[in-house]
C-alpha cells in the first residue's frame, strides 16, 4: 500500500486536499487504525466503524470547523477524532488526562458541542444554524444522529421546530444501522428500514401509473390520492417531508464516493435555499471488521481484544456485578408477584434486564432512548395496579426529572427506580457520572430514597422498594460488588431505619451506599490509634433515621458524613439539615465530591483524590478531633 495517507492527515483541511479517488483508501486506513487502537485501549468499536465513510465525506465536503458538525452521543466519532488530530490520544482514551470516549468542547475546536447522552444533536445544530443567521454569517450546521438517537423524543421536537423555521442552513444526517446498542426498537425503526430496492419501487410506480391511466375521469382525484399513499408506503422520506425537510436517500452509507457526491449535492441544495435537509444513510454497525459486523451488539463498547480472532481478554472471576444482582433479584421477586414489570430505555444489556427479558418476555419493555416516556409509561402502569420497575442509570434519569416529579411523585404512584451507575463511573467521564441523583430526588414528596452498602443489601432494598406502595428509588454503583455472602432469604428493610454497624463514642461516621465499607475500615484503623468511631449505615437518604443519627451525634464529639455524590444537596446536606433542626452544635464534616466536573479516570483514584476512601475518612475524623495520625 506504500505510505499511509492517514499519516499525512492532521486536520480535515488535509482531507479536503486529498484527491477524491483516494477517499476509499483513507477510509480503509482509518478503519484498520480504529480496530487496532481500540483493540488495545477499549472503546466504542462497532458504532465508530459504521460511521467512517460518513465522517470522511462530511469533513471532505463541508468546511469544518467553520461549518459545525454536531455528533449525537459522540460514541460513533472515532474517525472524526482521528481526522482532527487526536490519533495518538487513543492510547489513553477514557483514562485520566487522555481523550474522552465522547465529545467535549474543551477537547477540540472540531467538537463544537459536547455530548454523551443521546438525542441532543439536532436541537444543538439548529441552535447553531440559527445563531449563524442572527450573526449574518453564511455557515452551516450538520447533525449526525443514529437511528437509536432518533428514538429520543427530543430529536423529533427539534425536527418539528427546524421544519417550522424552514432552517435553510441545517443538515441532519441519519446514520441508520437498525441498531441502538441492541437492535433498535419502535415503529419508527421498522418504518425507516422498509427498504425496497429502487427497481422494485420503479416497477410498483409503473404499475400504479398504468392502473391509474385506465381509470375513468371522475376517479382521477381518488387516483391522485392513491398515488400519494403509494409514495407514503414506499418512501421513508414522507415522514420527514411532512416535517418540512427535504429528504435525500436512502443512500448506501459505506460507499464514500456516493456520499461525497450526495453531500456535494446537499451543499448545492442548501445554497439554493432548499434546507433543512435530511440525508438518510444506510450503514452496518461494525462494518469492515468481521467479528464486529457479525455481532455489533457485543462490540458496541469493548475492552481490549485480539484483532485476529476478535476474542476478548477473559474477565477475571470475581464478585457478581451490581447490575446482575439487581436483575436476578427482580426475576425472583417477579416470580412471586405477577404485577411486576421491568422497563429499560435502550439499556437492556447495561442494566442486565436482558436476563429478565429472557425469563419474562411479555413483562419486559424496552422503550428506546426515551427516558421521559419510560417514567410516565411506568406511572401509567402503576396507576392501574401494576408494579413497574424502571431501571435507568442515574445520569440518564436526569432527563426525566419532571416525569419523576409530576407523573410519579406528585401522584404518589408505585414506581420503583433502579438507578444503576450511581457514583463515579470511570472511563465514560463527565457526561455519565452518577453524581446528582440524591440532590435531584431527595426534595421530592412521597419518594423513598435508598442505597445499599453492598450487593447483598441491594437484594433487600430492591424488595423493599418494590413492596413499598409509593415511589421508591435505589441507587447502586457501576461494576462488581464486594464479594460479601448473600443472605438466602430476601427481606424488606424497615423504611427509614439506619443500621448501626459499629458503636463508638468519639466520632460518628454516617455513611451512605458504597462508602459504608470504607467507613468501617476507617473506624478499624482509628480504633488502633485509640479513637472510637461509630459507623452508621444510613441506608436511607429520605426519610433519614432522625432518631439514630440525632442520638449518636449527641453523644459523639464529631460527625463525619460520606457519600459518592456531589456534596451540594446530597446526603451530607440532608444530615446537616437534620442536625441543624435538632440544634446540634458540634463539628460536622461532609465528605463528598466537590463542585467540580469529574472527568474520566480511575474511580478508585478519584475516590482517593476526593478523600472518600478509607484514608480520607479516617483523616477527616482525626482532623475534627484534633488528633495527629
Ligand atoms: C439519554 C441516553 N440514554 C442512553 C444512552 C446510552 N447509549 C449510548 S449509545 C446508545 C445507542 C445509540 O444508537 P444509535 O444512535 O443508533 O448509534 P449506533 O451505536 O447504532 O451507531 C445508547 C442507548 C445515552 N447515551 N443517552
Amino acid at each position: 500500500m506504500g505510505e499511509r495517507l492517514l499519516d499525512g492527515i492532521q486536520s480535515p483541511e488535509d482531507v479536503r486536499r486529498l484527491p477524491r479517488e483516494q477517499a476509499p483508501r483513507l477510509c480503509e486506513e482509518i478503519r484498520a487504525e480504529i480496530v487496532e487502537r481500540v483493540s488495545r485501549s477499549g472503546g466504542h468499536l462497532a458504532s465508530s466503524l459504521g460511521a467512517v465513510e460518513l465522517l470522511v465525506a462530511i469533513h471532505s465536503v463541508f468546511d469544518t470547523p467553520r461549518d459545525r458538525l454536531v455528533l449525537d452521543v459522540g460514541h460513533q466519532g472515532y474517525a472524526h477524532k482521528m481526522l482532527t488530530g487526536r490519533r495518538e490520544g487513543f492510547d489513553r482514551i477514557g483514562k485520566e488526562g487522555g481523550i474522552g470516549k465522547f465529545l467535549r468542547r474543551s477537547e477540540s475546536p472540531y467538537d463544537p458541542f459536547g455530548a454523551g447522552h443521546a438525542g441532543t444533536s439536532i436541537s444543538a445544530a439548529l441552535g447553531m444554524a440559527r445563531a449563524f443567521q442572527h450573526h449574518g454569517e453564511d455557515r452551516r450546521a450538520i447533525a449526525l444522529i443514529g437511528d437509536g438517537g432518533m428514538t429520543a423524543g427530543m430529536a423529533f421536537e427539534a425536527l418539528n421546530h427546524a421544519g417550522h423555521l424552514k432552517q435553510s442552513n441545517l443538515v441532519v444526517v441519519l446514520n441508520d444501522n437498525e441498531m441502538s446498542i441492541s437492535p433498535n426498537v419502535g415503529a419508527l425503526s421498522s418504518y425507516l428500514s422498509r427498504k425496497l430496492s429502487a427497481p422494485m419501487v420503479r416497477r410498483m410506480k409503473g404499475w400504479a401509473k398504468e392502473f391509474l391511466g385506465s381509470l375513468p375521469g371522475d376517479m382521477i382525484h381518488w387516483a391522485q390520492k392513491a398515488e400519494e399513499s403509494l409514495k407514503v408506503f414506499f418512501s421513508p422520506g414522507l415522514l420527514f417531508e411532512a416535517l418540512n425537510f427535504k429528504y435525500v436517500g436512502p443512500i448506501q452509507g459505506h460507499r464514500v464516493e456516493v456520499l461525497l457526491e450526495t453531500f456535494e449535492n446537499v451543499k448545492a441544495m442548501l445554497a439554493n435555499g432548499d434546507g433543512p435537509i435530511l440525508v438518510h444513510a444506510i450503514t452496518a454497525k461494525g462494518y469492515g471488521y468481521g467479528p464486529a459486523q457479525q455481532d455489533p451488539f457485543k462490540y458496541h463498547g469493548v475492552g481490549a481484544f485480539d484483532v485476529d480472532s476478535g476474542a476478548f481478554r477473559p474477565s477475571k472471576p470475581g464478585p457478581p456485578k451490581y447490575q446482575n444482582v439487581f436483575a436476578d433479584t427482580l426475576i425472583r421477586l417477579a416470580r412471586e408477584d405477577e404485577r411486576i414489570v421491568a422497563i429499560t430505555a435502550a439499556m437492556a444489556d447495561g442494566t442486565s434486564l436482558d436476563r429478565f427479558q429472557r425469563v419474562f418476555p411479555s413483562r419486559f419493555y424496552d422503550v428506546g432512548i426515551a427516558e421521559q416516556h419510560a417514567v410516565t409509561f411506568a406511572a401509567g402502569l402503576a396507576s392501574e395496579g401494576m408494579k413497574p420497575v424502571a431501571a435507568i442509570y442515574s445520569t440518564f434519569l436526569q432527563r426525566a426529572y419532571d416525569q419523576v416529579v409530576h407523573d410519579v411523585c406528585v401522584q404518589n404512584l408505585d414506581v420503583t427506580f433502579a438507578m444503576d451507575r450511581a457514583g463515579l463511573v470511570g472511563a465514560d467521564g463527565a457526561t455519565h457520572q452518577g453524581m446528582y441523583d440524591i440532590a435531584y430526588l431527595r426534595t421530592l414528596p412521597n419518594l423513598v430514597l435508598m442505597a445499599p452498602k453492598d450487593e447483598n443489601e441491594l437484594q433487600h432494598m430492591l424488595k423493599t422498594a418494590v413492596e413499598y406502595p409509593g415511589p421508591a428509588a435505589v441507587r447502586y454503583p457501576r461494576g462488581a460488588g464486594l464479594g460479601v455472602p448473600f443472605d438466602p432469604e430476601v427481606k424488606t428493610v424497615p423504611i427509614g431505619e439506619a443500621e448501626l454497624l459499629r458503636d463508638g463514642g468519639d466520632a460518628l461516621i454516617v455513611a451512605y451506599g458504597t462508602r459504608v465499607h470504607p467507613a468501617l475500615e476507617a473506624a478499624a484503623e482509628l480504633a488502633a490509634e485509640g479513637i472510637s468511631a461509630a459507623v452508621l449505615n444510613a441506608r436511607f437518604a429520605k426519610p433519614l433515621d432522625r432518631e439514630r443519627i440525632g442520638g449518636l451525634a449527641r453523644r459523639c464529639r464529631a460527625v463525619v458524613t460520606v457519600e459518592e455524590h456531589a456534596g451540594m444537596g446530597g446526603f451530607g446536606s440532608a444530615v446537616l439539615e437534620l442536625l441543624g433542626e435538632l440544634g446540634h452544635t458540634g463539628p460536622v464534616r461532609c465528605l463528598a465530591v466537590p463542585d467540580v466536573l469529574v472527568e474520566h479516570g480511575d474511580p478508585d483514584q478519584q475516590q482517593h483524590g476526593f478523600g472518600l476512601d478509607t484514608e480520607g475518612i479516617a483523616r477527616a475524623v482525626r482532623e475534627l478531633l484534633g488528633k495527629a495520625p
Side-chain angles (χ1 to χ4, degrees), residues 64-190:
T64 53
R66 192 172 184 280
D67 288 338
R68 298 305 201 189
L69 170 59
V70 183
L71 305 185
D72 206 77
V73 189
H75 69 309
Q76 77 290 50
Y78 291 8
H80 163 79
K81 291 200 179 212
M82 286 188 178
L83 294 172
T84 53
R86 288 173 269 178
R87 264 169 80 199
E88 295 315 318
F90 276 84
D91 293 341
R92 288 196 58 76
I93 191 165
K95 300 204 172 72
E96 200 195 332
I99 62 170
K101 288 167 68 183
F102 302 96
L103 301 172
R104 295 175 297 169
R105 280 162 59 85
S106 57
E107 199 175 288
S108 164
Y110 291 91
D111 294 356
F113 203 77
H117 290 198
T120 61
S121 58
I122 307 177
S123 301
L126 176 60
M128 292 171 178
R130 209 65 200 163
F132 299 151
Q133 211 165 312
H134 284 295
H135 296 316
E137 292 171 342
D138 179 22
R139 296 164 69 182
R140 290 148 289 221
I142 303 120
L144 175 63
I145 180 166
D147 55 301
M150 207 59 136
T151 59
M154 197 178 161
F156 280 89
E157 295 170 25
L159 286 176
N160 186 44
H161 188 205
H164 171 77
L165 293 173
K166 299 196 170 62
Q167 196 60 42
S168 58
N169 54 349
L170 176 74
V171 182
V172 175
V173 181
L174 173 58
N175 172 15
D176 182 4
N177 54 26
E178 295 177 35
M179 295 281 290
S180 189
I181 291 179
S182 18
N184 203 2
V185 300
L188 175 73
S189 177
S190 18

Side-chain angles (χ1 to χ4, degrees), residues 350-372:
T351 58
S352 290
L353 277 182
D354 49 356
R355 295 178 175 214
F356 185 96
Q357 180 183 20
R358 283 194 286 276
V359 182
F360 299 111
S362 63
R363 290 160 68 181
F364 163 86
Y365 295 98
D366 180 350
V367 300
I369 309 179
E371 289 79 6
Q372 298 176 322

Side-chain angles (χ1 to χ4, degrees), residues 322-323 326 351 391 418-423 452 458 474-478:
Y322 279 93
Q323 65 187 70
F326 155 71
T351 58
M419 289 185 296
D420 199 330
R421 308 310 197 255
L458 172 58
V474 189
R475 81 186 306 255
Y476 49 94
R478 181 188 182 115

Side-chain angles (χ1 to χ4, degrees), residues 436-451:
Y436 314 111
D437 56 90
I438 305 173
Y440 72 67
L441 291 177
R442 81 178 178 83
T443 50
L444 300 183
N446 296 319
L447 186 77
V448 168
L449 197 54
M450 56 191 125

Side-chain angles (χ1 to χ4, degrees), residues 38 62 85 127-128 222 224 276 292 319 411 427 441 470 496 507 605 623 628:
V38 175
F62 291 96
M128 292 171 178
W222 177 85
Q224 276 166 345
Q411 310 192 62
L441 291 177
Q605 281 176 18
E623 281 174 8

